[in-house]
Amino acid sequence: MDENLAIDRAELPALLDAVRASATEVLTGIESRPVARAPKAAGAEEFPEQGVGLRETLARFEERWAPGFSGSAGPRYFGFVTGGATPASIAGDWLTAAFDQNAMSSEDSTASELEQLTVGWIGRLFGLPEHTGAFVSGATMSNFVGLAIAREWLGEQLGVSVAQDGVGALGPVRVLSGTPHSSIVKSVSMLGMGRTSVRPVPTLRGREAVDVDALAAALDVLDGRPAIVVANAGTVNTVDFDDLRAIAALRQRYPFWLHVDGAFGAFAALAPSHAELVDGLAEADSVCVDLHKWLNVPYDAAVQFTRRRDLQLRVFLNAAAYLTAPAGTPDFGHLVPENSRRLRALTAWFSLTAYGRAGHRDIVQRNISAARRLADQLTTGPLRLVAPVRLNVACFTLTDRPTQERIDAMVTAVAESGETFVTPTVYAGVPALRAAFSNWRTTDSDVDRAAKAIIAAAREIS
């Protein structure tokens, strides 16, 4: 055995204590850590022909790399839609690595059973009693799997199997959506349906929600040819919601697969005051939900749900003599792109068991209040909202001359303050910024600190 491996094995308890201490220092000091770090090259590093062991490696990491990491796990990181990691989910993540289960198969452990249980729990959170699901890496892969099943459904309507005969057997494909996330376009590209298959449908005036009458007209033009409709349960810029029930009702007149991208907006179901936003979610044929956003589990974790596991199995079947045949409840290796799969479900199981529906509802409701609190403070002076706060995102811009150059300068100024981090966007043709709230740690005082830094940056630009 390599000498360093032998030493690390002998000293493993003490070494794990050292790693625990390092992680504890990071997490207990996360509120005071600069929220964003301007990327600076750390410089070249020689490939280690001879290793130095875990203790020295930890020291080198803490000296060379850790200082450049952002405070994205902290309470004032409002870029993208980045959740933190609850204490219980961190524990689950550590144990996931320690047990190192391949969650592809049910032949040698209860890992698959735990995943099945946890997926069922998550389905109950969102009111999806008739859907089955599986863990994937994130919203992009969740959308990919849902659209792959939709592609097979299109073939079923036309009397062909895309899994067997290839996407060329389909002919032209239409994917209709009002405000599709970029991952939808990326997914149809990967699935061979082509980026141009995504056809934008007009949205309601002043909204990102699809105009259902315009959608009906777009379906009517297809003259009975089956299509895919991607509905949004929370758009990225303003967390707008399509009328899911009205869209589902169109299936009485037109043949289409209804995929709902609810990456983070589906969590509105946990807040009684906002649950109506996802009314009709259970009518979807497939649903995307991203867990490292609002469930606050570590990267990476998401779930895809579908009503048609039979089609999912047809797409992702992994046939080999050494694998379990997909009889009864198929192993997850037959349901998702990966064969080798980390037990992502354990972090969610830990967090749901530790805090339950009530604890996660509290996170959602506090984040909604935080977004409104920030918006209230940004509605005077050098900034204005570009859309109402519908859930957990405040989208705003400069009152005076909101050019892309000035918005980019403001993003940099906010980041350099170390107080908070927001991301740029464009809404209705206007360059803007967005602050997304999904971290369990965020308090009113964090919102106030962030607002002060954002306003100061806006005045600096002005």
Side-chain angles (χ1 to χ4, degrees):
M1 180 181 289
D2 175 82
E3 180 181 4
N4 286 312
L5 272 173
I7 292 172
D8 284 356
R9 179 176 180 176
E11 298 181 358
L12 186 59
L15 291 170
L16 290 179
D17 278 343
V19 176
R20 176 198 56 78
S22 179
T24 299
E25 183 178 356
V26 170
L27 293 173
T28 56
I30 197 71
E31 283 87 353
S32 58
R33 188 183 187 89
V35 176
R37 298 285 196 179
K40 296 179 180 178
E45 194 170 358
E46 291 296 324
F47 180 81
E49 295 292 346
Q50 299 295 324
V52 295
L54 174 52
R55 191 179 298 279
E56 175 60 22
T57 299
L58 178 61
R60 293 186 184 186
F61 168 74
E62 290 177 333
E63 178 182 359
R64 183 181 181 88
W65 296 107
F69 283 14
S70 73
S72 58
R76 295 186 306 283
Y77 187 96
F78 304 142
F80 311 104
V81 187
T82 300
T86 60
S89 70
I90 291 172
D93 198 50
W94 286 0
L95 290 172
T96 298
F99 279 99
D100 195 25
Q101 303 289 286
N102 183 352
M104 177 191 77
S105 171
S106 60
E107 288 187 287
D108 59 352
S109 83
T110 58
S112 291
E113 183 180 357
L114 184 143
E115 181 167 341
Q116 291 165 12
L117 171 72
T118 307
V119 168
W121 283 1
I122 295 167
R124 288 181 61 181
L125 280 182
F126 303 118
L128 301 174
E130 297 180 4
H131 292 67
T132 58
F135 272 76
V136 289
S137 59
T140 297
M141 192 52 64
S142 180
N143 281 325
F144 175 88
V145 172
L147 293 172
I149 304 169
R151 186 184 64 177
E152 191 67 16
W153 176 86
L154 288 176
E156 183 180 66
Q157 306 313 296
L158 300 173
V160 300
S161 171
V162 178
Q164 292 297 116
D165 302 324
V167 72
L170 283 180
V173 173
R174 290 292 176 265
V175 181
L176 306 175
S177 186
T179 312
H181 187 267
S182 61
S183 64
I184 298 297
V185 182
K186 181 176 182 177
S187 293
V188 299
S189 172
M190 292 190 290
L191 288 164
M193 294 186 285
R195 295 175 186 268
T196 59
S197 68
V198 180
R199 299 299 175 91
V201 179
T203 57
L204 297 172
R205 183 181 179 87
R207 298 274 302 277
E208 290 186 306
V210 73
D211 183 327
V212 178
D213 290 337
L215 176 60
L219 289 165
D220 197 57
V221 168
L222 298 179
D223 196 27
R225 186 172 179 85
I228 300 170
V229 171
V230 176
N232 292 297
T235 56
V236 170
N237 282 338
T238 65
V239 202
D240 212 344
F241 287 76
D242 290 338
D243 187 337
L244 302 181
R245 194 164 292 284
I247 293 173
L250 292 178
R251 287 185 297 192
Q252 297 173 15
R253 296 154 53 192
Y254 306 106
F256 63 87
W257 177 277
L258 177 56
H259 175 77
V260 176
D261 184 352
F264 67 97
F267 284 86
L270 275 66
S273 59
H274 291 76
E276 64 179 16
L277 293 172
V278 289
D279 181 40
L281 183 65
E283 301 298 318
D285 297 300
S286 55
V287 178
C288 158
V289 179
D290 203 348
L291 304 184
H292 52 240
K293 289 181 169 63
W294 228 346
L295 195 70
N296 276 248
V297 299
Y299 280 95
D300 52 27
V303 174
Q304 58 75 213
F305 291 100
T306 186
R307 290 174 171 275
R308 294 294 305 272
R309 176 163 276 188
D310 59 319
L311 296 182
Q312 183 174 3
L313 179 61
R314 192 186 299 173
V315 174
F316 296 106
L317 176 66
N318 191 35
Y322 60 87
L323 296 175
T324 303
T329 301
D331 285 342
F332 289 108
H334 296 300
L335 299 174
V336 293
E338 308 100 329
N339 287 345
S340 301
R341 304 175 67 248
R342 193 172 193 264
L343 182 55
R344 297 184 179 98
L346 192 56
T347 59
W349 182 90
F350 260 80
S351 203
L352 288 169
T353 300
Y355 313 118
R357 184 193 299 269
H360 288 279
R361 179 191 299 121
D362 172 69
I363 296 171
V364 168
Q365 292 181 151
R366 285 192 293 107
N367 286 162
I368 293 171
S369 296
R372 290 177 175 173
R373 185 181 182 93
L374 180 69
D376 287 344
Q377 296 184 51
L378 300 183
T379 53
T380 58
L383 296 164
R384 65 177 176 85
L385 296 181
V386 298
V389 175
R390 295 187 174 90
L391 199 66
N392 64 321
V393 172
C395 193
F396 55 96
T397 193
L398 291 163
T399 303
D400 180 41
R401 293 180 296 120
T403 63
Q404 191 62 60
E405 182 181 13
R406 300 182 80 224
I407 290 297
D408 290 343
M410 190 172 160
V411 170
T412 300
V414 170
E416 288 179 347
S417 75
E419 285 290 275
T420 189
F421 182 71
V422 295
T423 46
T425 189
V426 176
Y427 178 73
V430 178
L433 302 105
R434 53 185 294 284
F437 292 79
S438 52
N439 192 294
W440 68 276
R441 293 174 178 266
T442 304
T443 64
D444 285 350
S445 63
D446 291 310
V447 176
D448 296 343
R449 284 179 62 177
K452 184 177 180 181
I454 292 169
I455 293 170
R459 287 177 175 154
E460 178 184 328
I461 298 303
S462 297

